[in-house]
């Protein structure tokens, strides 16, 4: 696949500044990076963002994530590789990514399950990171950014 254009964030320097601030904020609440990485990978899978699936999985592997967990993210409900907190985060990520699929986009029980495991600042981090992932996914899908890029 060939990109339709240079990534818009790379073309507009002020966008990179804003994205970096959001990234820093989402990662500042003390939520485990592995949890943020899992929700990023799952939302990116749902959205079909090859660039984010590829970079996310590669980064997780470099951080020591196991192959079993990486290969099972799309089927997290059917495995025992994830903690209850991670399951709640993944469920929230799926609902927040598929907003238009249901009348009640994020049902109370999904939110309450996440709130059982995460404090308010961690929930803020989780919601912000899911939204940011969806933002990245949409830019990459629209402009057809290919997998295997070096984002650094």
């Amino acid at each position: 696949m060939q990109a339709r254009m240079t990534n818009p964030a790379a073309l507009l320097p002020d966008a990179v500044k804003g994205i970096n601030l959001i990234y820093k904020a989402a990662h500042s609440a003390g939520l485990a990076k592995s949890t943020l990485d899992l929700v990023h990978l799952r939302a990116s899978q749902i959205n079909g963002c090859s660039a984010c699936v590829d970079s996310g999985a590669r980064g997780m592997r470099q951080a020591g994530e196991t192959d079993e967990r990486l290969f099972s993210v799309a089927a997290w409900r059917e495995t025992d590789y994830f903690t209850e907190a991670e399951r709640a985060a993944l469920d929230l990520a799926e609902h927040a990514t598929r907003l238009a699929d249901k009348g009640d986009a994020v049902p109370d029980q999904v939110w309450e399950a996440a709130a059982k495991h995460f404090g308010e600042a961690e929930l803020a981090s989780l919601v912000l990171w899911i939204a940011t992932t969806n933002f990245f996914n949409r830019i990459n899908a629209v402009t057809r950014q290919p997998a295997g890029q070096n984002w650094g």
Side-chain angles (χ1 to χ4, degrees):
M1 180 168 67
Q2 188 157 14
R4 288 179 166 151
M5 65 179 287
T6 302
N7 190 300
L11 289 172
L12 304 172
D14 287 342
V16 173
K17 293 175 194 173
I19 290 167
N20 286 337
L21 288 172
I22 291 171
Y23 182 94
K24 183 179 176 183
H27 286 78
S28 70
L31 188 61
K33 184 176 181 317
S34 59
T35 301
L36 293 171
D37 290 345
L38 285 170
V39 300
H40 176 76
L41 181 57
R42 184 63 190 125
S44 298
Q45 289 171 335
I46 292 167
N47 289 324
C49 180
S50 66
C52 286
V53 168
D54 181 73
S55 66
R58 288 177 189 276
M60 292 170 73
R61 179 177 263 171
Q62 287 176 347
E65 192 59 75
T66 66
D67 286 344
E68 290 82 10
R69 284 170 47 98
L70 281 174
F71 298 153
S72 299
V73 171
W76 62 269
R77 286 181 177 83
E78 288 79 31
T79 71
D80 60 358
Y81 298 134
F82 304 98
T83 68
E84 288 302 314
E86 290 169 336
R87 290 175 181 282
L90 287 163
D91 201 19
L92 181 61
E94 287 188 0
H95 280 82
T97 298
R98 295 181 164 137
L99 292 175
D101 288 356
K102 298 176 184 167
D104 185 7
V106 180
D108 289 340
Q109 69 267 21
V110 171
W111 182 261
E112 289 165 5
K116 176 180 164 187
H117 297 283
F118 305 108
E120 192 167 53
E122 292 171 318
L123 284 168
S125 173
L126 192 56
V127 169
L128 186 58
W129 191 237
I130 294 165
T132 303
T133 295
N134 279 280
F135 168 76
F136 292 149
N137 294 165
R138 280 150 178 76
I139 290 172
N140 292 334
V142 168
T143 61
R144 292 189 179 159
Q145 298 300 309
Q149 295 186 55
N150 182 358
W151 301 100

